[in-house]
Every structure is written in C-alpha cells, then in structure tokens.
Amino acid sequence: MVVYFRHIEGSKKGQVERFDLARIRVGRAADNDLRFDSYRDREVSGLHAEIYRAGEAFIIEDLNSTNGTYVNGHRIEEPTRISDGDVIEFATDGPKAVFSTKEPVVPFGVEEGGAGSPRTIMIERGQLGAAEPAAKTLGMMINDALLHARSSSTGRVGTSTLFLRELARQASAHSSRRMRVTLVSLIILLILIPGSLVYVNYQKRQQLEFLKERQKRQLEVITKQQAEIEKFRGLAEGLKQEGIEAQETKRGVSVNLPSVLFAPGRSDLISEGKENVKKIASVLKGHAAEKKILVEGHSSQEKGVDEKLNQRLSEERANRIAASLVASGLPKQQITAKGFGSSRPVASNDSEEGRRRNRRVEVVIEK
C-alpha cells in the first residue's frame, strides 16, 4: 500500500513521508517505520501504534501506548478505520499528521501557508528507500536499546540480556571511539551493579539466618531453664508431701534436718532421723538425677564449749547424713559433705531457741 503522512505538529512538522509497506509501525523505537524523535517527541511511546490495510479500508490500532492515539480529536480504544484527510495525533499534545492515500497537494519545495512556514520536504520509506538515520546521542541509544529489549524479550531471553546485547551492538557499530568507550563502560557498570546487589542480598540472608539461629538457641536456653525451674518446683513439692521441711533458694532446694534427729551431742541418727533421710533419698532419686547434692553440718556457739568440738561435730553429722543417702541408693559422686561449725548461724546464739535452730544439717540440691 502507498500512503502519505503530512506532519503538522511535532519534530517532523513540515515533512511529508511516503510509505509503501503492508504495515506501518509507529513509535520512538529504532525499529519503527514511522519513527519520532526520542527527545522532542517524548509523549510518544516506544511502540505506539500500527497502521495496516483490511480489504479496501485502512486501520489504525493503538498498541497500549502510554498517552493514547487520537483520530480527529477522539481517543481510540480499538482498531479504527481512517480515511483521507483524517488528522492523527500520537499522544495528548503529541505530534500530529494528516493521513492520505494520495500525494498531498502542497508542492514540494514551496513554502506552505505563506511566509515563515516550514518548507514541505518529501521523505520516502519502504520499497522506494529510506532516509539515512541521524546520529544518535548516548541517551537515544540507551532508550532505543531499552525499547528493543522490551519488545523482543521472550521467556527464554530476558529484557536485561537483550538490553545489554543491543547496547553492545550499538557500541561496536558506532564510529566515535569516545562513544564506544562510554557505552562499554556503561555496559560493565550495568553488569557489576546487579552482581553487587546479589552480594548484598546474600549478606542480608546470611545475617538473617544467623539471627534466626541465635533466636533458636536463646529459645532452647529459656525452655531448658523453664524445665529446670519446674523440676525444682516439683522436687520441693515432693519433699513437702513427705513431711520434709524444704524451700527454694538461690542455690537450689534446701532441706533442713534439725538437731533433734540426732542423739544429743553425737552424730548418730535417731529412728525418726533415719526415716527422714530415706524419704529424702527416695524423692531425690526421682527428681534430682545427676544433680549435685551438698550436705552441710552446722552447730551452735555454746559458752565454755571449744569451737574445735563444734567443728568436728558438724563434720561428723554431715558425713553421717551423706553416708545414709548413699546407703539409700544415691550415687556417691553426687554428694559432697562439709562441716562449718558455728560460723553460719541462722539465729542468735543468745537464746536456747536460737541455739537449737543453729544446730542443724542442711541438704542442698544445687541448680
């Protein structure tokens, strides 16, 4: 088909383009037939519209352009028939051209519209040849490469790859050494930037994994501590249920064996004391496996009594309780016995009641 476009607005104003093509692609991309300037006609999309023949009619179709295509002032939403004399506007306030199937009546080389009007220049496209393209700026080449990549990308070859390939092709074809160096530098930069972003993302993922692992370990520690707390709470409750005096302290669970469980002034246990030790051992075997057990003997401070005697008695009573616990089935390596004499009173030695409380053996199950 042979059609004419007489440009009345835009960078091509004053030109008439003749096309002898089956289809005419319109836009700013380098591979369009009716190509607008990448900078002066920025309202036009890279691939804006297409004009083709359907039987005896000519059809124009907007190709999802950003700013739309207008015929005689009306924006088209679907393929639309055009006739001689129709004014086509490519984008709002964009370039305008008068469509015709006949050569415009304005004489070529004669000023159109009187003095001061641009000269009408005939440019032929298609089978009759095409005008030489103008030299491209760096921005134009980048824009053309991007438009080419977007229109040519497939599932197998992505837009980024096609963009870099097109830039490389334009770099090799450019006559200016300076422009070639600039384009090659740009290509290297565009390759390095994604690589650095991948590295940064990798570092962030590693940091996230580290934080997750640390949080997991902290949760395990908290869970273990909570289990220990529950275990000691169960130990204290078990001893109390057996009638044994026990309490939770900073050191662990402490069991108090008063002096009344021993023969006066001696380390021998009376029958009630022996029974209590058996009960303690039974509870410890169920609730304190592998826990360290401290058996600590204490005495009161008596007037006229040598402190060495108090120290020896406290040691003997601690050792007797430790031996009884082992005899009741607790492992010997779990138990440590030690006497402290009168050095750790829990009450005043000035009264008989205070001295009675100080004469004791404590069994401590450590946390």
Side-chain angles (χ1 to χ4, degrees):
M1 67 178 183
V2 178
V3 296
Y4 300 84
F5 290 91
R6 182 164 61 88
H7 296 280
I8 58 177
E9 294 290 345
S11 63
K12 292 178 177 285
K13 183 176 180 180
Q15 296 180 15
V16 173
E17 291 186 280
R18 179 184 187 277
F19 291 89
D20 187 5
L21 297 168
R23 285 179 176 265
I24 303 169
R25 286 158 50 101
V26 183
R28 289 189 297 135
D31 55 353
N32 286 301
D33 305 304
L34 174 47
R35 180 185 172 191
F36 289 99
D37 189 273
S38 296
Y39 283 88
R40 290 183 289 171
D41 299 314
R42 292 186 180 183
E43 302 87 353
V44 180
S45 296
L47 181 57
H48 194 100
E50 190 173 52
I51 299 167
Y52 53 90
R53 188 166 186 168
E56 297 299 320
F58 289 92
I59 305 297
I60 184 169
E61 182 178 351
D62 183 84
L63 301 179
N64 295 318
S65 66
T66 302
N67 296 311
T69 302
Y70 297 79
V71 176
N72 297 326
H74 299 286
R75 183 166 183 167
I76 63 173
E77 302 294 340
E78 56 186 24
T80 301
R81 181 171 180 171
I82 53 176
S83 304
D84 286 16
D86 284 344
V87 177
I88 303 173
E89 183 177 5
F90 300 99
T92 306
D93 297 325
K96 293 181 182 180
V98 179
F99 173 80
S100 177
T101 58
K102 300 173 183 178
E103 188 173 338
V105 297
V106 178
F108 304 135
V110 177
E111 293 186 359
E112 178 188 9
S117 297
R119 290 182 177 275
T120 301
I121 303 172
M122 171 64 82
I123 300 175
E124 297 184 348
R125 309 285 188 184
Q127 296 174 356
L128 299 181
E132 289 296 322
K136 296 181 181 179
T137 64
L138 176 62
M140 292 173 66
M141 284 186 279
I142 293 173
N143 185 70
D144 289 347
L146 183 58
L147 293 173
H148 172 79
R150 286 175 176 173
S151 60
S152 304
S153 62
T154 63
R156 298 179 63 183
V157 183
T159 302
S160 300
T161 302
L162 291 172
F163 174 65
L164 292 174
R165 285 182 185 176
E166 180 63 17
L167 271 186
R169 186 192 68 77
Q170 295 195 45
S172 63
H174 207 281
S175 59
S176 168
R177 182 178 180 277
R178 183 177 179 181
M179 185 61 76
R180 289 200 301 272
V181 171
T182 301
L183 281 171
V184 170
S185 300
L186 177 62
I187 291 169
I188 293 172
L189 184 62
L190 291 173
I191 291 173
L192 291 177
I193 289 175
S196 63
L197 291 176
V198 169
Y199 177 74
V200 170
N201 287 334
Y202 170 77
Q203 290 289 86
K204 287 183 177 179
R205 287 198 300 271
Q206 290 292 99
Q207 186 179 18
L208 182 61
E209 289 298 322
F210 171 77
L211 292 175
K212 286 182 178 178
E213 185 63 28
R214 187 173 70 176
Q215 187 179 34
K216 180 181 177 182
R217 291 196 298 269
Q218 290 174 342
L219 183 61
E220 289 175 351
V221 170
I222 293 172
T223 303
K224 185 176 181 180
Q225 290 175 343
Q226 187 64 34
E228 289 295 319
I229 291 172
E230 293 299 325
K231 182 181 291 187
F232 274 100
R233 189 167 295 162
L235 172 61
E237 290 298 323
L239 290 168
K240 289 177 182 179
Q241 288 177 6
E242 293 292 337
I244 305 298
E245 182 183 347
Q247 60 180 346
E248 294 182 60
T249 68
K250 292 181 179 180
R251 299 171 65 192
V253 174
S254 178
V255 178
N256 184 53
L257 297 174
S259 61
V260 295
L261 299 179
F262 297 91
R266 301 178 60 181
S267 62
D268 298 332
L269 285 164
I270 65 174
S271 59
E272 184 183 353
K274 293 177 182 179
E275 187 64 27
N276 280 2
V277 170
K278 289 181 180 179
K279 291 179 181 179
I280 293 171
S282 175
V283 175
L284 293 185
K285 283 189 285 186
H287 294 274
E290 300 181 0
K291 288 294 182 181
K292 189 175 181 180
I293 301 171
L294 304 179
V295 182
E296 300 174 344
H298 303 276
S299 64
S300 62
Q301 196 173 52
E302 308 280 345
K303 290 182 180 181
V305 178
D306 189 352
E307 181 59 30
K308 291 182 180 179
L309 294 176
N310 287 333
Q311 177 65 32
R312 186 175 64 186
L313 181 61
S314 68
E315 292 175 356
E316 290 176 351
R317 286 182 173 180
N319 289 330
R320 179 58 60 90
I321 296 296
S324 298
L325 290 173
V326 172
S328 298
L330 289 175
K332 185 177 181 180
Q333 61 270 22
Q334 276 186 251
I335 303 171
T336 300
K338 189 173 183 179
F340 292 93
S342 61
S343 62
R344 295 185 179 182
V346 293
S348 173
N349 284 302
D350 294 337
S351 65
E352 180 56 34
E353 175 61 21
R355 290 192 292 271
R356 185 188 65 77
R357 291 179 61 193
N358 289 334
R359 294 190 291 267
R360 71 199 186 277
V361 173
E362 291 182 0
V363 179
V364 180
I365 300 90
E366 286 192 329
K367 288 184 177 180

